[in-house]
Amino acid sequence: MIIEKSLEWKEGFIERVENREGWDNWKLYTMSYEIVEKNLIKEFDGLQSLRYLLDFTPLDHQLEVAKTVIERMNGKALLADEVGLGKTIEAGLILKEYLVRGLVKKALILVPASLVNQWIEELNQKFHIPAIQYRKNYDLNHCDIVVMSMDMAKRSPHKENIYEQSYDLIIIDEAHKLKNHKTKNYEFVQNLRKKFCLLLTATPIQNDVFEIFYLISLLKPGHLGTYESFQSSFSARKHSLEHNEYLKELVSQVMVRNRRQDTEIEWTNRRVQILPLEFTKEEKEVYDLISQLKDVSTVFTDSFSMITLQKEMCSSKEATFLTLIKMLDKCTCLEDMSHMEKIIRKLSVLEINSKAEKAFEIISKANDKVILFTEYRATQDYLQEFLNSKGISSVIFNGQLNKNKREWIKQLFKEKAQVLIATESGSEGINLQFCHHVINYDLPWNPMKLEQRIGRVHRLGQEHDVHIYNMAIKNTIEDHILDLLYVKIGVFEKVVGELDDILSAYKKSI
């Protein structure tokens, strides 16, 4: 079949011009009328965009979120589904719906740098939204749907160029990173000109209850009152509050949250456990010497340095050694230098890392892919060398890898290596459903980081039960970290809702 371009319109046009004939044509008019009528959106209820999604069918809970945000929340919402339920899909649905309805023509999507390409692919391929990645030489006046990293957007001259624009919709991924009004990220977003706004985070409370106040104040200023009235009304302190049922009701008016168990999807189980460990006699001696530094040293003017060293000692002597050397270089007191040199000498002769030995035991028994999370780069390097000496293949994943290297390392882990040794910054945005074991080698202060770690593997597409091992050394700073993690989980559940197991139902008894 040959398709040719028709030029009949041109002949008709010339004839009407030259012969001064009438321009009206009832047949053409009725055809135009029918086209316009078919494109009209006669009802506000329901999603009109679904007929334009030819190769993609969203899940029921994702459709419900989009309807709720558009019909009840007027396009200003906190999307707080648990990790792995598709908040990106929900945001894409909402954007598509507003584009179809003509209510959004210009949108800005701000995401972590590591997720820019992922967002563009999702919007282009699933929703046929012509989103582009912002480049330094682009004129924002001619860019309708832009995806940009938050780090780039908040810096000059991009910040000033963005401030000149009026956006119909702003989408912020990983919105918990906005934290509060004192951060540059928060201030930047607050000053954007926007009609609709979506904040995406599975963890709207990370460390303290005031974080939910600031996020909701971005969406609907005054919804939770002023900072002072919020603090007074709910007797709010960092890790506690009262009248939480009333607060939860207020929050639900601007927040949509689905839990895995609320969906019709059949999820695999989480097998979570805390593994209480003990230092060897030699490790304990070094740990105690470090703890004594606050009493004998003039270097420790605050508790933060002490806590950092104690945490590092619970991780590896390598991480501890690097910090001590830096402190020793700045030290001017002979007595302090003598004490630190004594610790360094004892560190250097330590032969056993109790936590590493336990990690090796878990990995050997698993005989499967394992992702191991540590907080320190020095520990990463040590663990790779340690596991290699035991015949275990591993790859390192951290925030210093560029996009191509991230994909390469991920592929190496999937096809070759047994263990992925990751830091927090490196793990952001990676999906590892082919892995079924997570070792939290170092515990973070923030329980939501545990949820995000586990969410790398326990998400849509996971076909096996996920085993989570939380390692903690008795009679150390990790005792205190565990206590605080449970307190913070309690605050989260009072305001946001129940959380899937991340530590274990078994309360700490170590």
Side-chain angles (χ1 to χ4, degrees), residues 309-331:
L309 266 177
Q310 289 174 323
K311 282 195 69 186
E312 287 172 337
M313 184 57 204
C314 289
S315 182
S316 70
K317 70 177 185 180
E318 286 73 12
T320 317
F321 181 82
L322 287 179
T323 301
L324 280 171
I325 290 297
K326 290 177 184 176
M327 295 176 65
L328 191 58
D329 289 342
K330 299 176 182 178
C331 186

Side-chain angles (χ1 to χ4, degrees), residues 48-216:
Q48 310 299 320
S49 56
L50 298 181
R51 53 184 165 162
Y52 299 98
L53 305 181
L54 305 179
D55 307 316
F56 170 62
T57 304
L59 298 172
D60 288 345
H61 73 273
Q62 295 165 343
L63 294 171
E64 195 58 40
V65 167
K67 286 177 62 178
T68 298
V69 170
I70 291 168
E71 295 174 6
R72 287 178 34 213
M73 296 181 174
N74 193 31
K76 297 178 180 179
L78 178 59
L79 306 187
D81 284 2
E82 287 186 328
V83 176
L85 287 182
K87 289 181 288 297
T88 307
I89 299 298
E90 292 165 359
L93 265 174
I94 294 165
L95 172 57
K96 183 72 173 182
E97 187 68 23
Y98 276 138
L99 288 169
V100 169
R101 292 170 185 252
L103 295 174
V104 166
K105 298 186 184 300
K106 199 173 182 68
L108 175 66
I109 298 114
L110 298 170
V111 307
S114 60
L115 301 183
V116 169
N117 288 329
Q118 184 177 314
W119 266 90
I120 290 172
E121 287 174 11
E122 293 264 315
L123 294 176
N124 288 175
Q125 294 173 12
K126 287 188 170 71
F127 298 99
H128 308 292
I129 295 173
I132 60 168
Q133 179 177 354
Y134 176 75
R135 304 291 183 186
K136 292 180 180 179
N137 59 339
Y138 284 7
D139 182 352
L140 285 172
N141 291 307
H142 303 295
C143 301
D144 293 331
I145 314 294
V146 177
V147 181
M148 193 184 312
S149 78
M150 178 67 81
D151 287 338
M152 174 184 275
K154 69 184 180 185
R155 294 199 308 266
S156 297
H158 317 298
K159 177 175 71 173
E160 289 75 18
N161 293 336
I162 293 169
Y163 281 164
E164 290 176 3
Q165 307 297 314
S166 291
Y167 286 100
D168 300 309
L169 174 63
I170 300 285
I171 299 174
I172 315 288
D173 197 8
E174 303 291 340
H176 53 269
K177 293 185 176 180
L178 300 177
K179 292 188 181 295
N180 58 56
H181 67 300
K182 295 180 181 179
T183 67
K184 289 184 178 180
N185 287 0
Y186 191 96
E187 181 184 4
F188 170 68
V189 173
Q190 194 172 36
N191 290 326
L192 294 174
R193 288 188 284 177
K194 50 194 178 291
K195 180 166 65 175
F196 305 125
C197 184
L198 302 177
L199 303 179
L200 280 60
T201 174
T203 55
I205 294 179
Q206 290 262 312
N207 272 306
D208 69 72
V209 72
F210 295 103
E211 290 167 345
I212 194 79
F213 167 82
Y214 285 111
L215 285 179
I216 288 176

Side-chain angles (χ1 to χ4, degrees), residues 26-38:
W26 182 248
K27 185 178 180 181
L28 291 176
Y29 172 79
T30 53
M31 287 173 64
S32 298
Y33 183 89
E34 287 172 6
I35 290 170
V36 172
E37 186 179 35
K38 284 184 178 179

Side-chain angles (χ1 to χ4, degrees), residues 415-457:
E415 297 178 359
K416 303 286 186 182
Q418 184 182 351
V419 181
L420 180 77
I421 308 170
T423 60
E424 219 78 58
S425 57
S427 66
E428 190 174 70
I430 57 169
N431 301 331
L432 304 167
Q433 293 95 324
F434 58 85
C435 178
H436 321 127
H437 299 264
V438 178
I439 298 176
N440 289 308
Y441 184 89
D442 297 321
L443 291 173
W445 292 101
N446 181 348
M448 299 306 112
K449 285 186 176 180
L450 287 175
E451 171 61 24
Q452 287 159 357
R453 290 176 181 181
I454 298 167
R456 300 303 100 219
V457 299

